[in-house]
Amino acid sequence: MATHALHGRSRRRINFDEHLPVDHRLNLVYRIGAGLMGLGLIVFGIFGIIDRIGFFDTGGDQVWSMNTNGALSWLSVAVGLLLLVGMVIGGNFASTLNMALGVLFVLSGFVNMALLDTDYNFLAFEIQNCMLSFVIGILLLVFGMYGRVGSALPHDNPYWRARHPELAEERDRQLERREDFPA
C-alpha cells in the first residue's frame, strides 16, 4: 500500500548536522569503519607499489595472497586515503562515504568477476580479489548504515524522525506534557 498517498504532503528534508552532536556515538562507528578499511587498503597498495609491479601487468604478482598490479595498488592507496579523509571528517560525511564506497566495492566485485578470464581484466583480479571486494563492500555498507537503517531505531534518532515526521511531532508533544505535569 502506498503510504505516501495518505499524507498528501511531501516529506520534509532534514539537516542531520543540526540533530547529531559532534560527539554522538554513531560518529565513532563511522570513523572506525572508514579508518580500518582505509588503513588496510593503503598498506595493501603500498606493498604493491614497493614491489614495482608493472602498471597494467597481469602476470600474477601477489600481495597478501591477492593478485595486484601497479594500477590496483595506486587505486587502493587512493581509495584508502579517501576513507582516511572520511575518518578525519567523521559524522554524516563518513557514513555517506562508507555507504557509497561500499556499493562501489560490491559492484566492482561483480564487474571484475565477469572480467576474470578476459583481456579486459586490467586490474589483474582473481577470484580472491573479487571475494575481498565483496567483503570490504559489505563491511563499509554496514559501517555506513549503522544507526541509519533498521526496524528499531530509537525515536530520538534523526533518521527515524525524518522518516516519521508526524509521529516525531506527537512524541515531542507527549514529552512536553510529561515535563509540564510530572507524575
Side-chain angles (χ1 to χ4, degrees):
M1 173 179 248
T3 57
H4 64 278
L6 297 175
H7 296 294
R9 61 182 164 129
S10 64
R11 287 188 177 179
R12 63 185 173 133
R13 302 294 263 158
I14 186 168
N15 186 357
F16 294 114
D17 292 333
E18 293 176 0
H19 294 24
L20 277 180
V22 174
D23 61 344
H24 195 273
R25 63 184 168 84
L26 298 178
N27 192 22
L28 184 62
V29 173
Y30 305 148
R31 285 179 169 213
I32 289 173
L36 289 176
M37 295 294 127
L39 186 62
L41 287 170
I42 289 172
V43 171
F44 172 78
I46 288 174
F47 282 149
I49 292 168
I50 289 173
D51 285 345
R52 295 185 181 193
I53 304 166
F55 202 73
F56 291 114
D57 185 23
T58 57
D61 296 306
Q62 292 192 343
V63 171
W64 292 345
S65 300
M66 300 285 157
N67 262 22
T68 190
N69 61 17
L72 182 60
S73 297
W74 282 105
L75 184 63
S76 297
V77 169
V79 172
L81 287 173
L82 183 61
L83 284 167
L84 285 180
V85 167
M87 180 190 76
V88 169
I89 295 173
N92 295 319
F93 176 78
S95 172
T96 304
L97 179 68
N98 286 349
M99 286 191 299
L101 288 178
V103 167
L104 290 176
F105 267 95
V106 170
L107 289 175
S108 169
F110 282 118
V111 168
N112 285 300
M113 190 177 290
L115 298 175
L116 280 180
D117 291 327
T118 68
D119 293 334
Y120 301 108
N121 186 7
F122 61 91
L123 291 178
F125 263 56
E126 293 289 333
I127 192 70
Q128 63 268 26
N129 297 76
C130 295
M131 293 300 122
L132 183 66
S133 185
F134 291 136
V135 169
I136 290 174
I138 290 170
L139 284 172
L140 285 173
L141 283 168
V142 167
F143 285 134
M145 289 184 192
Y146 181 77
R148 279 190 169 196
V149 179
S151 62
L153 293 175
H155 293 216
D156 63 343
N157 184 298
Y159 302 105
W160 183 89
R161 295 178 67 80
R163 292 180 192 129
H164 306 93
E166 293 85 13
L167 293 173
E169 290 173 14
E170 178 61 31
R171 181 159 168 77
D172 289 344
R173 283 191 295 268
Q174 289 174 355
L175 288 174
E176 286 176 16
R177 280 187 230 131
R178 286 185 193 150
E179 290 173 1
D180 291 342
F181 304 105

